[in-house]
Amino acid sequence: MRQHQLRVVLAERASQRSGSARLVPLLACLDLDLAEELQQRVEEFPDRAALLAWLTARTDASDAERLMRLLDDDDPERQLRSLSVTLAEANRAWRALNLPQIDNTDRHERQFATWLQRNRPALAERIRDAHADVHRSGRSLAAYVRLRGLPTLAPDPTWHTTLWDLTDQLLQTHADAWLTRSLPAQSPTSRALPPLTEVREVSTAAVHQHLPRLRQLIQEWQCLHPTSHTVLPPPPQEVLRALDDEGLLDFEVLSTKALITWLSHHGHWPTDMPLPDRRAQLGLSSTRSSAPAGNSGMAAGTGQSGAPVPGPQVALNGRLVPAGPDDLAALAREVAADLTPEQRATSATAVTTLAPRIPRPRTSSQPGTGSQGGSYQAAGNDQDHTVPVGVAGEAAVAAWLHKQFGVEPQDSWKSSLRVHGLAGAQPGDDRLGYDFLIHDGDATYLYEVKASTGNSGEIILGESEVRRASRLAPGETYFIVYVSHVLDRDCRAITVLSNPFGAPDLAGYELVSTQLRLRFNLG
């Protein structure tokens, strides 16, 4: 080692023993000139006694003692609060001495996300109400649709180096100012609108109720008026997404007349077919007729004779209910509504301690039980992997988390199944590796839902879930929510399980089977 390198190392060790380097930023908050002098002499103090003597000779003895005590505190926020110095004042002093500054961007983004999850419904309602006159005039709601996503509402960048925390009052004032700048002027005579959530729910139910009947009317009318081009409306979920994209689910309950008008304007209604929905006005008989055999426009759920054909069904609370694609929204609403008080009261952050399990001998996979796309697979059991059970499980968890955190499901539900449980919802993303996201102060909770029609005690984690559960950022906690007996109100239980990758040995789980997926090239 060269002499100048040795001197640098010895100086650094001396400053570490005395604490002189750590004292510079603290002293800068009280006396900038004195801190600058110390900054140039940090290597001159062999120990803390020498540093204290130097400091006492230049400042008040009580301040010197207090500063020296703070050297052992690793929390900058606590240090500055002890000195009655604000973050803005500290960063200003540190900037003058070219010292590192504190930036709370990550902390503020988490706090802002927490506030926004709880206040988005109220903001959305204010934005909707401000565009009521635009809707009544029949003008485009494109500006409303763009604004309701809160595209530019974000924390003020100046906060990150001046504030430790973002208070609810500060964020509300900030949002109010943003709304004032962004919203159109509202007429003082504009009449009040019904609650936004209520309008969306009733409009969604109306589409599910009326669209199958309108589809049947179109079928029958086209049978009497054959054309070369057959027209049928899309499935309800597609219609709902299209209506939502235009902002038409938010202002008033969608009537049958409005739905027919929309279908006509978007090419989902035969050109020559009158717009009324009364059979007599359409020249149809008072009783439903059957579509001819082989008609490509034959409605789903009807046979050649017109008699209903049984579709998918599940046993919900002891009775069979339809579970086809168009029935899942009703199933989700019913499951969410019948959670018991005990189920809603289940803690969302207290995990269940798993009892030790006796390992069972592994058996080879049976035919038909191959990979479902995940890296970890469970043997066949009573867990039903059908979409209706998945929808029921996530609808139950959505209602439960709403009760626990006060966060509306549209702001927490992230999986693809959200389209069945939320009015007019856009598709979610199953690649995230979790189904629900909750911000709670500086903490972020990720919930992956596993639903079962029984109580097998076995789950399957897919590739994205394994990846996300094993790669968490600071402040994130991953939970598995096991909803057993999901379709039985009296037996249903919501159990919060720990992250299997959050502790050694899979945190008490037993690995039932593994799957190795390999890729290779020939030649």
Side-chain angles (χ1 to χ4, degrees):
M1 182 178 291
R2 297 179 183 274
Q3 283 190 0
H4 73 277
Q5 294 174 321
L6 180 59
R7 282 195 294 268
V8 170
V9 171
L10 293 175
E12 287 180 353
R13 290 189 175 180
S15 67
Q16 290 173 3
R17 282 197 305 271
S18 67
S20 56
R22 296 198 304 276
L23 180 61
V24 172
L26 294 176
L27 187 57
C29 297
L30 302 180
D31 190 325
L32 192 59
D33 293 335
L34 192 57
E36 186 174 13
E37 178 185 346
L38 178 61
Q39 189 179 37
Q40 297 170 357
R41 303 176 58 183
V42 290
E43 71 280 2
E44 298 179 9
F45 305 95
D47 51 36
R48 287 201 176 189
L51 179 62
L52 177 59
W54 177 88
L55 187 59
T56 304
R58 289 162 177 78
T59 187
D60 183 84
S62 60
D63 287 341
E65 291 285 352
R66 181 170 53 155
L67 287 168
M68 294 300 291
R69 285 196 303 270
L70 289 176
L71 292 181
D72 296 323
D73 194 333
D74 294 330
D75 187 334
E77 181 177 357
R78 199 159 48 230
Q79 288 176 324
L80 293 183
R81 292 191 188 281
S82 178
L83 295 174
S84 300
V85 174
T86 66
L87 179 60
E89 293 168 339
N91 275 334
R92 188 161 51 247
W94 297 339
R95 190 162 51 246
L97 295 182
N98 292 320
L99 295 171
Q101 300 176 57
I102 292 177
D103 188 308
N104 281 322
T105 298
D106 292 342
R107 181 177 184 175
H108 287 175
E109 287 180 349
R110 291 193 297 270
Q111 292 176 347
F112 182 75
T114 298
W115 182 87
L116 191 58
Q117 270 199 329
R118 287 163 173 74
N119 290 274
R120 187 188 294 271
L123 297 177
E125 192 127 342
R126 290 174 62 180
I127 294 171
R128 189 278 306 259
D129 292 348
H131 288 82
D133 293 336
V134 177
H135 173 259
R136 294 189 182 106
S137 69
R139 303 196 305 272
S140 170
L141 291 168
Y144 161 69
V145 172
R146 184 171 59 254
L147 195 61
R148 72 180 179 182
L150 312 178
T152 59
L153 181 58
D156 188 329
T158 62
W159 293 341
H160 303 330
T161 55
T162 58
L163 299 174
W164 290 108
D165 295 295
L166 305 182
T167 65
D168 288 350
Q169 182 178 358
L170 173 67
L171 292 174
Q172 186 62 60
T173 301
H174 179 66
D176 290 342
W178 180 83
L179 289 172
T180 300
R181 295 191 304 270
S182 305
L183 295 181
Q186 191 172 4
S187 170
T189 60
S190 181
R191 66 179 184 273
L193 295 171
L196 176 57
T197 302
E198 175 185 317
V199 174
R200 290 181 64 86
E201 289 179 354
V202 177
S203 292
T204 298
V207 170
H208 282 286
Q209 176 185 354
H210 298 309
L211 197 60
R213 182 174 62 86
L214 297 178
R215 179 188 286 262
Q216 177 68 26
L217 291 177
I218 292 173
Q219 274 189 288
E220 294 184 29
W221 190 88
Q222 289 184 139
C223 287
L224 295 177
H225 305 81
T227 62
S228 58
H229 181 59
T230 300
V231 175
L232 276 180
Q237 290 296 351
E238 290 186 26
V239 171
L240 285 167
R241 282 197 291 271
L243 287 165
D244 190 47
D245 287 342
E246 298 178 31
L248 298 177
L249 294 178
D250 296 355
F251 291 86
E252 58 186 25
V253 175
L254 200 66
S255 64
T256 305
K257 179 180 179 180
L259 180 56
I260 293 175
T261 301
W262 184 89
L263 292 171
S264 176
H265 287 169
H266 289 76
H268 304 312
W269 192 269
T271 305
D272 299 330
M273 182 175 175
L275 297 183
D277 65 326
R278 296 180 181 275
R279 303 182 65 86
Q281 292 176 292
L282 295 172
L284 303 176
S285 63
S286 57
T287 58
R288 177 183 295 188
S289 63
S290 62
N295 187 348
S296 61
M298 185 169 59
T302 59
Q304 295 182 12
S305 64
V309 175
Q313 295 178 320
V314 294
L316 178 62
N317 297 326
R319 59 185 177 84
L320 289 178
V321 297
D326 293 345
D327 306 309
L328 295 178
L331 176 65
R333 287 195 299 272
E334 188 164 353
V335 171
D338 76 357
L339 287 187
T340 66
E342 292 78 12
Q343 292 161 9
R344 293 178 185 272
T346 303
S347 172
T349 56
V351 299
T352 298
T353 301
L354 298 178
R357 299 197 60 173
I358 301 175
R360 294 173 296 175
R362 281 183 191 162
T363 58
S364 59
S365 299
Q366 298 299 317
T369 61
S371 169
Q372 302 297 320
S375 299
Y376 292 79
Q377 299 293 325
N381 52 57
D382 75 331
Q383 182 181 7
D384 194 335
H385 298 290
T386 61
V387 172
V389 171
V391 169
E394 293 191 18
V397 171
W400 167 65
L401 289 176
H402 183 207
K403 174 67 174 178
Q404 290 290 307
F405 294 101
V407 175
E408 293 290 340
Q410 58 261 34
D411 285 318
S412 63
W413 201 341
K414 304 299 180 182
S415 77
S416 63
L417 296 184
R418 72 194 302 268
V419 298
H420 304 293
L422 302 176
Q426 296 299 314
D429 188 354
D430 288 331
R431 296 170 300 178
L432 295 173
Y434 56 85
D435 298 316
F436 292 86
L437 171 67
I438 294 289
H439 295 289
D440 189 30
D442 288 337
T444 299
Y445 301 132
L446 312 176
Y447 292 91
E448 171 63 26
V449 179
K450 300 298 180 182
S452 172
T453 54
N455 186 20
S456 66
E458 290 189 8
I459 58 176
I460 296 174
L461 291 184
E463 182 179 349
S464 64
E465 295 151 12
V466 170
R467 182 173 60 250
R468 194 65 179 86
S470 58
R471 301 176 186 174
L472 296 178
E476 290 183 340
T477 305
Y478 193 97
F479 297 104
I480 295 174
V481 184
Y482 181 55
V483 186
S484 57
H485 299 288
V486 65
L487 298 176
D488 187 336
R489 180 180 189 271
D490 295 330
C491 297
R492 182 189 301 128
I494 297 174
T495 304
V496 181
L497 302 174
S498 62
N499 180 358
F501 302 97
D505 300 324
L506 290 178
Y509 295 92
E510 175 195 349
L511 186 60
V512 177
S513 64
T514 62
Q515 184 181 70
L516 187 62
R517 183 176 180 178
L518 304 175
R519 176 181 289 128
F520 60 92
N521 293 320
L522 292 176

